[in-house]
Amino acid sequence: MLKDLFAKPKKKKYATIPTERDKQDVPEGIMTKCPSCKKIMYTKELTKNVKVCLHCSYHHPMTAYERINSLFDAGFVEMDHGMISVNPLDFPDYMEKLEKDKVKTMMNEAVVTGIGRISGYEVSVAVMDSKFRMGSMGSVVGEKITRAIEKACEKKIPFIIFTASGGARMQEGVLSLMQMAKTSAALKMFSDEGGLIVSIMTHPTTGGVSASFASLGDINLAEPGALIGFAGRRIIEQTIREELPEDFQTSEFLMKHGQLDAVVPRQELKDTLTNILKIHVPGGERV
């Protein structure tokens, strides 16, 4: 009997399945699984690393406000927040889908515009968010971007745009396509006035957005691994009857073929933009 008291407990040969109560003890969203390397990390640590995977450097999507908070000094002033889309073509269920996206993203549209400072340098900015209608370009998106360009021209400050979009918004038909011409014309007028345009393409930048304002920067940058292109890969292969390279329409492919000036990791973006702004400010000094 004494021998039994001091004997080592036998190891269990079965796995313990956590109960539903145990599962609820772990807060939802505390861990994030990387879609690229499949490794799991603390969401808090991923956020600290500006949503870049700690293992493989995969760039997770950022919301518009997350990007603004990671780059801009305190005091960012948002413009045209109250602008909302209507349903000019009476497209079925369009307004209901917009309302759902407003609740989900806490945004009124797929782009946030405003005036802020990066390392002390004042800029006008437009930041697209793919979580709102896949960042699609409707009338309000085009109007907000155009107003941000006009504000940059008025204040004689650089204009920076972060693109993330599936292209033109089909529910607004030709009115959506007209935003390509409107924003491009505004950029041309701003450029003729000597304004600096910096475009940063993020994943994904496709369709009418890539074919208009996204590609019209004086300096065109992109995040690593971003999908950038006009038509889809399958459509192009069927049209030209050729198999495309594996890295086709990635930021690295475009950089290799001269369509981008640089591919900049997210952790280095603020320093890169600061240097660009410093070079283009008269005398190299802060305004």
Side-chain angles (χ1 to χ4, degrees), residues 245 247-259:
D247 63 346
F248 180 69
Q249 289 187 327
T250 62
S251 50
E252 290 77 10
F253 182 89
L254 268 63
M255 175 68 188
K256 191 187 304 181
H257 290 80
Q259 193 169 336

Side-chain angles (χ1 to χ4, degrees), residues 238-283:
Q238 291 175 349
T239 302
I240 67 175
R241 301 183 186 278
E242 289 184 20
E243 187 175 345
L244 297 167
E246 282 297 319
D247 63 346
F248 180 69
Q249 289 187 327
T250 62
S251 50
E252 290 77 10
F253 182 89
L254 268 63
M255 175 68 188
K256 191 187 304 181
H257 290 80
Q259 193 169 336
L260 294 173
D261 295 298
V263 176
V264 183
R266 196 175 287 162
Q267 303 97 318
E268 301 173 14
L269 186 57
K270 184 169 184 177
D271 288 340
T272 300
L273 289 174
T274 299
N275 288 333
I276 291 171
L277 295 171
K278 183 177 180 180
I279 291 169
H280 287 82
V281 168

